[in-house]
Amino acid sequence: MNSKHVRTAGILLHITSLPSEYGIGDLGMHAYRAADWIHKAGMQLWQILPLGPTGFGNSPYAPRSTFAGNEMMISLDMLAEQGLLSSQVLEAHPNFPADHVDFDQVQRWKLPLLKQAAKAFLHSAALGKQAYLDFCRQQQFWLDDYASFMVLYEQFQDARWFSHWPTPLGKRTPAAMQVFEEEHASDIAIWKVLQFFFEQQWIAFKQYVNSLNISLVGDVPIFVAADSADTWSKLYLFKTDKEGHFSSVSGVPPDIFSATGQLWGNPVYDWNAMKERGYAWWIKRLERLFHLTDILRIDHFRGFDAYYEIPAQETTAQHGTWVPVDGMDFFRVIKNHFGEVPIIAEDLGLMTDSVQQLRDSNHFPGMKIFQFGFGVDVNHEPNYYDDFLPHNWDENFVAYTGTHDNNTTWGWFSSLDEPTKQMVLDYLGCSNDAVVWTMIRILFLSHARCAVIPMQDVLQKDEKARMNYPSTCNAVNWSWRVGAEEFDAELATRLAALAEISARTGRLADETA
């Protein structure tokens, strides 16, 4: 990521968006076929969304655990190949929609089968038993708490441990926890086995992807969900009041887009407590994520310089304050532990000089979003925003047509008013029907070191393929899926040719001189 002479390109495509007979993308055959297609397309990066098990609203950015893997990504076919499930059970799967994930339907059908396979594993004389025990020991920092959390979540049918669980269990009273763990030992073991399944399948998948000279780009939400195993097990790392309730939550202040700001609701860290413990929790978190991926994009990077803190009782983000964070010290400790870290800083939104200094002093590439280069000013007139237009990009950036939070590029362009559409066409120098691929071409030819394109834009999808509508919670979010037939050979050839002419082959410059 830090060599001046390497230019790369990649695809943004989450695992759950892959084809599968079982209603949701998984780590089976189609994941390997997608890797083959990305390789044939000349790409060196495969960017995904956070891998954690999703909670209410299905958002990968509010997982039940920042350490665990999403059990719904486990391939049932692979478990059947191991003799842990019967192929007949899988053949009787429901008629799932092919173009989107019905999360509730998938969960109802798939989780019982996963548990069935886990029970079979625990009751068999499988050769993987020692590997399982090794995994449990190596991941004990988070695994025991996560497995207990999930059993409690199922028992009380709610993950809000701070309000919907009996107080002794919500507050992890030692006596109550001992009784619970003894009474539910077999259920806890099942959730540990499911994480072992994920680990085995993911590492095999990652090794295959890496063998194709493709790096996996993971994603780190800076905050964690309130109703997560992370807060339940490590409450002392978060700001709380005398009763142990979250005292402050995160968000962003009011701006021209929202008069009340954005109230995210994630509990905020007690950075003093983090620092006193040598940032051990963050080190463990990054160790786990760098084990699963090769490069990490940090969502809301500016939160390492200052974060917007809102009193927990507020119903909007209007009455918050910016609280400084010693990000320089944090990354000094991180680098002392890891060495140079391959991190992409999501530096969108309000950027101050100190945030840019934190990013640049650590040599982290920032992000540029092509769509953001066009808009309307305060007078509602079409306006170019030069920071997001390719002719002004420096080298140390990762450039995107759009991200998971944006409309697809065709959906975005189609939604513009006529004057703004004309501004886009004038800049691109193309006709309406060529907008998407012209933007991809210009982005590839830019100075930005990395260029990443959402799969929806490669396929020129409209708004129906949008991944997420920020600040909303509905069944459409996070559900888009690509069809197996859409991994088209001609499309791969077209992308590979573009990567070649724009020198985005991942090779050193002197190798092609």
Side-chain angles (χ1 to χ4, degrees), residues 366-385:
M367 289 175 56
K368 295 296 184 184
I369 311 299
F370 203 166
Q371 289 182 22
F372 288 177
F374 311 96
V376 293
D377 60 22
V378 292
N379 298 314
H380 302 287
E381 295 293 331
N383 187 59
Y384 291 115
Y385 292 92

Side-chain angles (χ1 to χ4, degrees), residues 16 22 26 149 156 176 188 207 217 248 259 266 301 306 309 373 400 402:
T16 60
Y22 308 126
D26 61 32
F149 178 89
F156 300 112
I188 292 170
Q207 289 173 347
V217 181
S248 303
N266 305 79
F301 177 80
E309 179 177 296
Y400 301 78

Side-chain angles (χ1 to χ4, degrees), residues 340-391:
E340 290 297 319
V341 281
I343 281 174
I344 299 168
E346 187 272 288
D347 53 355
L348 308 174
L350 178 63
M351 286 285 289
T352 62
D353 291 343
S354 58
V355 180
Q356 294 183 41
Q357 182 182 0
L358 181 63
R359 179 197 67 197
D360 295 343
S361 64
N362 286 287
H363 311 293
F364 297 150
M367 289 175 56
K368 295 296 184 184
I369 311 299
F370 203 166
Q371 289 182 22
F372 288 177
F374 311 96
V376 293
D377 60 22
V378 292
N379 298 314
H380 302 287
E381 295 293 331
N383 187 59
Y384 291 115
Y385 292 92
D386 288 351
D387 283 351
F388 290 101
L389 292 175
H391 63 271

Side-chain angles (χ1 to χ4, degrees), residues 6 45 88 109 136 144 156 160 163 192 240 251 304-305 317 319 340 366 393-394 443 449-450 513:
V6 177
L45 304 173
Q88 290 82 3
W109 179 77
C136 291
D144 293 350
F156 300 112
R160 289 171 290 182
S163 59
K192 290 183 181 181
T240 58
F304 286 111
D305 178 71
H319 304 295
E340 290 297 319
W393 295 345
D394 293 329
L443 191 147
R449 187 176 306 150
C450 302

